[in-house]
Amino acid sequence: EIVLTQSPGTLSLSPGERGTLSCRASQTISRSSLAWYQQKPGQAPRLLIFRTYNKASDIPDRFSGSGSGTDFTLTIDRLEPEDSAVYYCQHYGSALFSFGPGTKIEIK
Amino acid sequence: QVQLQESGPGLVKSSETLSLTCTVSGDSINSGTYFWSWIRQLPGKGLEWIAYIHKSGSTSYNTSLKNRLSISLDTSHNQFSLALSSVTAADTAMYYCARAPAVTSPTFDNWGQGVLVTVSS
């Protein structure tokens, strides 16, 4: 089974800065199998990015995904206060889903 | 616009079976090809995928929970359900149902609002 790790655990940034979130897989995975979600307190997660770099509906252009092999990145440009949330990466393979432990973004 | 809504008891006694239902509205469970899934989130923790079922009846379970899990589909009521047996306090969590298009690399594009289940001793 693929295990996903995310870093850092918490990112504290100011509005307008760039956030760079990392997701590392325990072995090489397909770029098409990696997605990112945003979860705000008290809400269900929301799909942000699928297949490494494709944006879901209504996701601002400030969000972008990249990566390959075992290392994947979610980048949030020009952070806004509303981006304060926990971000999870997710993998699907061999009929199993898995999530990373999450990165919390705090906006100063 | 498809909507998913979880339902079930908010309190379950330890060693009993937790049973939850997800009602799908705005679309038929049979109309497309999706993995109808359950995901949980322990208090203050991350997301844990539990299981999915496809309209064909095929299922997949989290390997760490597999021995206690059962997922089923009720197309006549446009619902799918989860049963988790022999629960303990460690199963206290927010339980979400979600839909993932059954394409090459599925992702969860629609979620319910979640239902909090507490396991009491």
Side-chain angles (χ1 to χ4, degrees):
Chain A
E1 289 183 36
I2 301 293
V3 175
L4 301 176
T5 56
Q6 292 185 243
S7 60
T10 301
L11 205 48
S12 185
L13 296 168
S14 298
E17 289 190 304
R18 168 181 288 182
T20 303
L21 289 68
S22 172
C23 176
R24 177 163 290 176
S26 57
Q27 55 188 278
T28 296
I29 60 174
S30 166
R31 298 185 76 189
S32 65
S33 67
L34 197 286
W36 292 91
Y37 298 82
Q38 175 193 65
Q39 186 180 33
K40 296 182 179 181
Q43 297 183 17
R46 176 176 73 148
L47 178 64
L48 290 176
I49 302 283
F50 61 98
R51 295 180 190 168
T52 293
Y53 57 81
N54 294 275
K55 275 188 278 286
S57 300
D58 300 326
I59 302 303
D61 289 341
R62 302 184 293 104
F63 292 85
S64 62
S66 63
S68 64
T70 60
D71 294 314
F72 297 82
T73 301
L74 174 69
T75 302
I76 312 173
D77 289 322
R78 303 179 302 282
L79 278 163
E80 298 183 3
E82 66 190 37
D83 299 330
S84 179
V86 180
Y87 294 82
Y88 297 94
C89 56
Q90 172 252 309
H91 171 260
Y92 175 84
S94 302
L96 299 171
F97 289 92
S98 60
F99 290 93
T103 291
K104 182 177 184 178
I105 287 189
E106 296 176 341
I107 307 298
K108 296 176 185 175
Chain B
Q1 174 78 5
V2 66
Q3 291 188 319
L4 293 81
Q5 178 68 58
E6 304 88 350
S7 60
L11 190 63
V12 180
K13 291 185 178 179
S14 183
S15 79
E16 295 188 345
T17 295
L18 181 164
S19 297
L20 296 173
T21 296
C22 182
T23 300
V24 180
S25 59
D27 199 4
S28 168
I29 277 184
N30 273 329
S31 68
T33 180
Y34 297 101
F35 294 134
W36 300 99
S37 303
W38 289 96
I39 295 154
R40 73 180 182 179
Q41 187 166 34
L42 278 59
K45 302 297 184 183
L47 302 168
E48 180 180 34
W49 171 73
I50 300 171
Y52 74 67
I53 186 166
H54 185 266
K55 66 177 182 181
S56 65
S58 68
T59 59
S60 181
Y61 296 102
N62 182 311
T63 54
S64 67
L65 300 169
K66 188 173 185 176
N67 293 338
R68 300 193 289 131
L69 280 174
S70 177
I71 190 170
S72 59
L73 204 57
D74 180 354
T75 55
S76 65
H77 292 92
N78 224 35
Q79 297 174 332
F80 61 103
S81 297
L82 176 76
L84 177 65
S85 63
S86 305
V87 296
T88 70
D91 295 308
T92 293
M94 181 72 78
Y95 286 77
Y96 295 100
C97 59
R99 182 190 81 167
V103 293
T104 304
S105 296
T107 53
F108 300 107
D109 62 355
N110 272 279
W111 297 67
Q113 64 185 26
V115 60
L116 179 61
V117 178
T118 301
V119 177
S120 67
S121 55

